[in-house]
């Protein structure tokens, strides 16, 4: 099955020397934890609704 209109989000943590977005980019690790929690809660809620 394909989903040509699907929107994607890519998240991850890279080693600081990668500088994948900007030379001075910095992310607070607690922000990453919160983003992961929100994504998990969203997917759980979405799965519950899709199964109804």
């Amino acid at each position: 099955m394909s989903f040509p209109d699907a929107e994607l989000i890519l998240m991850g943590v890279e080693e600081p020397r990668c500088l994948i977005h900007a030379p001075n980019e910095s992310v607070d690790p607690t922000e990453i934890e919160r983003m992961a929690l929100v994504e998990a809660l969203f997917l759980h809620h979405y799965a519950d609704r899709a199964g109804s």
Side-chain angles (χ1 to χ4, degrees):
M1 183 180 286
S2 65
F3 302 93
D5 297 326
E7 294 185 26
L8 304 174
I9 182 171
L10 300 175
M11 297 189 325
V13 179
E14 294 291 336
E15 193 268 323
R17 291 178 285 171
C18 290
L19 305 174
I20 61 174
H21 294 117
N24 61 351
E25 181 178 27
S26 177
V27 177
D28 183 341
T30 57
E31 182 179 353
I32 296 167
E33 290 174 9
R34 290 177 184 142
M35 289 184 335
L37 176 60
V38 167
E39 183 178 3
L41 291 170
F42 168 79
L43 292 172
H44 180 74
H45 180 74
Y46 184 79
D48 282 349
R49 291 200 149 213
S52 298

